[in-house]
Amino acid sequence: MTDLSVRLGTLTLRNPFLSASGTFGHGLEMEHFVSPETLGGWVSKTVTLEPRPGNPAPRIHETEAGFLNSIGLENHGVEAYLEKIVPVLKGVDALIITNVGGAAPEDFVTTVERLEDADEVDAYELNLSCPNVQGGKLPYGTDPGMAEDVTRRVKDVTKKPVFSKLSPNVSRIGDMAKAVEAGGADGITAVNTLLGMAVDWRTGEPGLATVQGGYSGVGIKPVALRCAWECARSVDIPVIGCGGISTLDDALEFLVVGCSAVQVGTASFANPSLLAELVEALPAKLAEAGVESIQELIGSLRSSDGAGEVAAS
Ligand SMILES: Cc1cc2nc3c(=O)[nH]c(=O)nc-3n(C[C@H](O)[C@H](O)[C@H](O)COP(=O)(O)O)c2cc1C
């Protein structure tokens, strides 16, 4: 039988497939489509210290290839997460990664401190793509020093693995990857959504109430793949690829460029059973290609000698 397990630092995943934050419920709402023990791991929607109402509607806009969202990290806050979601996860045979966000570094730290005693939470993913810090306009997601600082401060208060989730909206994502590695991250998730917008030219109405929002889905795959590759070749910690994955071939491409695991987001909206279908189809796909262990594939990209900083003309 093909060995599908992968390592993410100290964690062993039964297979490389995880759900992407914000696209697969908070706890196990999707278990009717994908049973908990099927996946390598379940990633929660972003949990913040205080409840957040999110942004005004419309906050989802479908495009030709994927969609734009400006949900605005709507959630009930960490106390409600501990009270209502965590008990549901008790005894479930699944690796749970809780995604944490915040408006200031202390928010990340306090939220993780609150979650630390919950045995149901196996690891954290830090959403470093939040737009504001302390009400200002200083994005963690684009400033290596701030990303390193937040990662380090969280690492100081937890014994659990920490994965820093990076934004693709930077010119040198490799520098961001190195920064969070220096901050002690156990791994990197690459990437969150790309900034985008839509407009109806007849009415002048923007597609989203916030005008700009996060673009995700099949259209972003080449950008996400490049970002994941850039991260993987910049650091020694594992990288989880994310962005535009909707088929098994997509997922395996992310492994070849150096990712140890992948997350599927937008594609689950069209087919909520997709993640289970991908896991089921994986052994036959690998056997067909003569691959005995998934490890063989990870980082097997060829002829990267010519890979410079910027390859496009
Ligand atoms: C509706 C929606 C909500 C999202 N919410 C979150 C979130 O709460 N936290 C987060 O880190 N990423 C969030 N994301 C980003 C996804 O986790 C993922 O990084 C991104 O969509 C790219 O992957 P995809 O193309 O497979 O969707 C959200 C994406 C979508 C489409």
Side-chain angles (χ1 to χ4, degrees):
M1 223 174 86
T2 322
D3 180 8
L4 301 182
S5 67
V6 294
R7 304 264 316 158
L8 282 182
T10 54
L11 302 174
T12 301
L13 276 59
R14 53 170 73 93
N15 63 61
F17 286 98
L18 301 115
S19 53
S21 178
T23 65
F24 217 62
H26 226 2
L28 297 176
E29 294 94 324
M30 303 297 279
E31 67 178 326
H32 303 296
F33 296 102
V34 179
S35 62
E37 70 279 2
T38 309
L39 293 186
W42 291 63
V43 183
S44 79
K45 180 164 177 50
T46 294
V47 179
T48 54
L49 187 56
E50 304 293 343
R52 285 177 59 98
N55 291 325
R59 49 191 201 171
I60 293 271
H61 180 91
E62 200 163 344
T63 74
E64 302 83 346
F67 52 64
L68 291 157
N69 90 81
S70 61
I71 306 295
L73 304 184
E74 177 183 346
N75 78 104
H76 295 295
V78 69
E79 295 310 327
Y81 182 77
L82 281 165
E83 200 178 304
K84 300 209 172 82
I85 307 289
V86 167
V88 177
L89 304 172
K90 207 171 192 66
V92 168
D93 182 18
L95 188 94
I96 304 293
I97 301 180
T98 300
N99 180 302
V100 172
E106 307 81 68
D107 295 351
F108 284 85
V109 171
T110 314
T111 306
V112 166
E113 280 174 335
R114 287 294 298 120
L115 292 165
E116 191 61 7
D117 291 338
D119 293 337
E120 294 78 6
V121 175
D122 296 298
Y124 304 106
E125 182 175 73
L126 306 184
N127 181 358
L128 299 183
S129 312
C130 305
N132 298 305
V133 179
Q134 287 176 326
K137 297 280 179 199
L138 297 168
Y140 312 103
T142 57
D143 183 314
M146 293 179 83
E148 178 180 343
D149 179 55
V150 175
T151 304
R152 177 169 293 115
R153 286 164 73 168
V154 168
K155 279 296 288 179
D156 283 347
V157 298
T158 179
K159 293 190 176 64
K160 298 176 188 178
V162 171
F163 301 97
S164 294
K165 183 171 179 180
L166 300 183
S167 167
N169 305 313
V170 294
S171 45
R172 295 166 69 94
I173 198 167
D175 290 350
M176 295 296 299
K178 285 181 189 145
V180 297
E181 182 182 48
D186 298 275
I188 288 168
T189 303
V191 285
N192 210 313
T193 52
L194 272 81
L195 273 177
M197 69 181 281
V199 63
D200 180 335
W201 71 267
R202 291 174 198 279
T203 62
E205 279 294 318
L208 297 171
T210 51
V211 182
Q212 57 177 332
Y215 180 38
S216 64
V218 291
I220 76 166
K221 196 191 78 176
V223 179
L225 192 67
R226 196 272 304 166
C227 287
W229 166 70
E230 190 68 60
C231 288
R233 70 181 186 140
S234 302
V235 296
D236 294 325
I237 51 177
V239 175
I240 305 171
C242 179
I245 297 173
S246 68
T247 67
L248 208 41
D249 290 317
D250 294 337
L252 296 174
E253 289 169 17
F254 277 80
L255 298 189
V256 166
V257 305
C259 297
S260 302
V262 292
Q263 296 181 353
V264 174
T266 300
S268 289
F269 286 100
N271 176 7
S273 304
L274 178 67
L275 270 161
E277 291 169 14
L278 295 178
V279 171
E280 200 185 328
L282 184 58
K285 187 80 158 187
L286 295 178
E288 182 193 302
V291 176
E292 278 172 23
S293 157
I294 201 114
Q295 294 295 338
E296 277 176 45
L297 279 184
I298 297 174
S300 59
L301 182 74
R302 294 174 62 184
S303 65
S304 52
D305 292 355
E309 283 284 303
V310 179
S313 57

